Amino acid sequence: MNESLLRDLVPEVIGVLVRRGADFAAAEDAVQEALLEAVRGWPDAEPRDPMGWLVTVAWRKFLDAVRADTSRRRREERVEAEPVPGPGEGVDDTLQLYFLCAHPSLTPASAVALTLRAVGGLTTRQIARAYLVPEATMAQRISRAKRTVSGVRFDRPGDVATVLRVLYLVFNEGYSGDVDLAAEAIRLARQLAARTHHEEAAGLLALMLLHHARRAARTGPDGSLVPLAEQDRGRWDTSLIAEGVDILQAALARDRLGEFQAQAAIAALHADARAAEETDWVQIVEWYDELVRLTDSPVVRLNRAVAVGEADGPRAGLAALAELDPALPRHTAVAAYLHERDGDPVTAARLYAEAARSAPTLPERDHLTRQAARLNTRLRG
């Protein structure tokens, strides 16, 4: 098998698929699948027309992916836009697929990435953004995962922890934009919690419900982002909040704390405050301390710095922030907020503008730009 020929043909094959109507990321995934078949089959019989063979197989892979995505969306369309309170229906094939993709032969990170791409319907770019890595890095990770499982039997499903991680990331992607995706994640989380009686499955379900309860208040009429402190709490869904709190309390009573339960406890404290100024930030900091102990995540430490700034004052928050890598996503936006609260609008305006330039989403960029403009207008006046 001529491996250099394969590498040389990849851009041409991707170009053919794109001209036929595939988007670049989907074409790239389809060509990777075709290359896997070439690696398995060509050592025995290399085709006379390698280019034509790759185009044919890659196009078939692309059509298979489109059909799978269409089937997934049809399943989502059967779900109402707003998840109703109460237990979910019996386990369906979608949750089974999540478990099968979380195969024991894969590392947890690779299993999550593969499941998000193959079953969750997320693009490579969306998955890379969730993992805070370059898109090319994530594409390689997914390709390696596909190669790893290409020859294994799927009779040993993965563990609950990996499936929980996948559902969490699917929900986060939906929570930031696609409501149907968030509702589908909640539907599957209900099934998983009922099926496993796992305290972290319950914690994740509670977390999803508590966050989803705020969805209607997260954006203004013009689609602009509304920060938590400025949201109209009368628009929060109290039935989802009540259900989430009940599920969380039952999970915490088992005395086996995990990160999803701790995150849900923070969300519950926000939901419990009738106004932003009534938020129990001291308790929230304590829960973030638990999360740091459980995960040692830099993102958790960043959120903790905000909570410390609310509980102990902006100087304390800036001190906590100074211990973190400035390259961390949203680090600059947090610094801007804390500097503004500390009475330094000049520094805050500069940092808001800087944060806007690297914002991961358009609504976030627009929000940060407006914050910078608001402070600059005040300074000029």
Side-chain angles (χ1 to χ4, degrees), residues 96-173:
Q96 296 289 359
L97 287 172
Y98 272 70
F99 271 97
L100 291 175
C101 283
H103 197 272
S105 63
L106 297 172
T107 64
S110 294
V112 170
L114 177 62
T115 313
L116 288 171
R117 186 72 186 93
V119 187
L122 272 64
T123 66
T124 303
R125 178 173 300 175
Q126 288 172 319
I127 302 168
R129 188 173 63 204
Y131 269 88
L132 309 179
V133 299
E135 185 176 353
T137 301
M138 183 53 65
Q140 292 173 357
R141 182 181 299 177
I142 294 172
S143 295
R144 286 195 299 270
K146 290 177 180 178
R147 288 195 297 270
T148 299
V149 301
S150 61
V152 302
R153 293 182 59 183
F154 284 91
D155 55 357
R156 292 189 300 145
D159 66 355
V160 173
T162 302
V163 176
L164 287 172
R165 178 62 52 188
V166 176
L167 288 175
Y168 176 63
L169 292 175
V170 170
F171 176 79
N172 279 349
E173 196 62 42

Side-chain angles (χ1 to χ4, degrees), residues 18-220:
V18 169
R19 287 193 294 274
R20 288 186 179 184
D23 65 74
F24 184 84
E28 192 177 39
D29 285 342
V31 172
Q32 288 292 335
E33 292 276 5
L35 290 175
L36 286 176
E37 288 206 14
V39 169
R40 288 195 293 267
W42 286 17
D44 298 326
E46 185 169 324
R48 292 183 180 179
D49 180 10
M51 174 73 176
W53 187 96
L54 282 173
V55 168
T56 299
V57 174
W59 184 246
R60 188 182 73 236
K61 296 291 186 183
F62 167 72
L63 293 178
D64 288 345
V66 170
R67 281 192 289 270
D69 185 63
T70 300
S71 297
R72 177 185 64 79
R73 292 191 179 278
R74 284 174 181 166
R75 286 195 299 270
E76 290 177 1
E77 287 169 1
R78 294 198 299 266
V79 182
E80 294 181 357
E82 289 299 328
V84 298
E89 70 274 24
V91 177
D92 66 13
D93 60 335
T94 306
L95 190 58
Q96 296 289 359
L97 287 172
Y98 272 70
F99 271 97
L100 291 175
C101 283
H103 197 272
S105 63
L106 297 172
T107 64
S110 294
V112 170
L114 177 62
T115 313
L116 288 171
R117 186 72 186 93
V119 187
L122 272 64
T123 66
T124 303
R125 178 173 300 175
Q126 288 172 319
I127 302 168
R129 188 173 63 204
Y131 269 88
L132 309 179
V133 299
E135 185 176 353
T137 301
M138 183 53 65
Q140 292 173 357
R141 182 181 299 177
I142 294 172
S143 295
R144 286 195 299 270
K146 290 177 180 178
R147 288 195 297 270
T148 299
V149 301
S150 61
V152 302
R153 293 182 59 183
F154 284 91
D155 55 357
R156 292 189 300 145
D159 66 355
V160 173
T162 302
V163 176
L164 287 172
R165 178 62 52 188
V166 176
L167 288 175
Y168 176 63
L169 292 175
V170 170
F171 176 79
N172 279 349
E173 196 62 42
Y175 186 62
S176 64
D178 189 337
V179 176
D180 288 339
L181 198 59
E184 172 72 352
I186 291 174
R187 184 180 74 86
L188 293 173
R190 287 191 191 282
Q191 293 182 8
L192 186 59
R195 171 182 176 177
T196 63
H197 302 290
H198 192 291
E199 57 277 352
E200 273 293 81
L204 177 60
L205 176 57
L207 176 64
M208 289 180 176
L209 294 172
L210 288 163
H211 278 318
H212 204 67
R214 302 199 301 258
R215 182 185 64 84
R218 291 185 70 246
T219 54

Side-chain angles (χ1 to χ4, degrees), residues 230-243:
E230 300 173 19
Q231 289 176 14
D232 177 359
R233 299 184 179 220
R235 300 184 66 195
W236 290 359
D237 189 324
T238 54
S239 63
L240 288 182
I241 291 173
E243 184 189 4

